Amino acid sequence: MLELTDAQIGTWVASFILPLFRVTAVLMTMPVIGTSLVSARIRLYLAVAITVVIVPGLPDMPEVHALDLSALLLIAEQIIIGALLGMSLQLFFQIFVIAGQIVAIQMGMAFASMVDPANGVNVAVVSQFLSMLATLLFLGINGHLVVFEVLTESFATLPVGGGLLIDHFWDLAGRLSWVLGAALLLVLPAITALLVVNIAFGVMTRAAPQLNIFSIGFPLTLVLGLGIFWVTLADILPHYQALASEALQWMRELARAR
């Protein structure tokens, strides 16, 4: 008769449950898969499938007692690590949302907003367009596969029970300035061109005060803004590749991966 001890059962359960929590946390917080467009049930099924595939190649897991406080601490540790990895990519996608909002304000389309189905908040139409473009490009360069690779390597570089490092949180907070700077650099040509247009309208108002600048300037700024935005899209791919490479590399550094 086969007899199993509590330690053996705890080890077998921990070898699957603890990685499952980290994988689930990543899938629940990362872009594309972690949005509300994908139901939570599908994300959970995908997390279980990924965990089943990667568990045989993972390092040995610590022994876990189901009713012990240490088990809850280990679970919380995996959730925090997975959430940090997912949020690091969320910051990358927010670059395009902020960039679209800046351009929309400059061209007078800030009032044209719609509900973002991924996040459930109102964003400018330009921001939604850039967000959809960033999502398609991210899938086109197989960025999601890189995320799964880093996630698998994180179990060796950030082992279960190894504890959390405070610099993980400082790194995530320090990236906020990088997001704002990258968004400004992304739309700097469009902002500069629209600034020249607004200055030209200001000169026209001073030269001909009787000219109703509001009835002429608003539609003209809108049309010129759309044209300038369309022209600047031709050079967005090199910027996207550089930002995506930097974001994925930072995710590797956050996970201490190679």
Side-chain angles (χ1 to χ4, degrees), residues 123-188:
V123 296
V125 176
V126 181
S127 297
Q128 182 65 15
F129 173 78
L130 288 178
S131 179
M132 294 172 61
L133 181 62
T135 301
L136 294 176
L137 291 175
F138 185 77
L139 295 175
I141 64 174
N142 291 327
H144 57 295
L145 300 181
V146 178
V147 174
F148 296 152
E149 179 186 359
V150 175
L151 174 61
T152 305
E153 293 180 3
S154 69
F155 287 98
T157 57
L158 295 175
V160 177
L164 291 174
L165 300 177
I166 191 63
D167 56 350
H168 287 85
F169 301 96
W170 287 115
D171 289 344
L172 190 62
R175 281 286 157 167
L176 296 177
S177 60
W178 172 74
V179 171
L180 296 176
L184 288 174
L185 289 177
L186 189 65
V187 295
L188 188 59

Side-chain angles (χ1 to χ4, degrees), residues 192-225:
T192 305
L194 290 172
L195 179 61
V196 173
V197 172
N198 291 326
I199 292 175
F201 284 132
V203 173
M204 291 172 57
T205 304
R206 295 292 295 177
Q210 68 277 12
L211 182 65
N212 190 354
I213 195 62
F214 292 102
S215 60
I216 300 176
F218 178 75
L220 193 56
T221 303
L222 184 60
V223 173
L224 290 176

Side-chain angles (χ1 to χ4, degrees), residues 96-109:
F96 301 91
V97 176
I98 297 174
Q101 189 70 35
I102 295 173
V103 173
I105 292 174
Q106 291 294 321
M107 71 171 62
M109 287 190 64

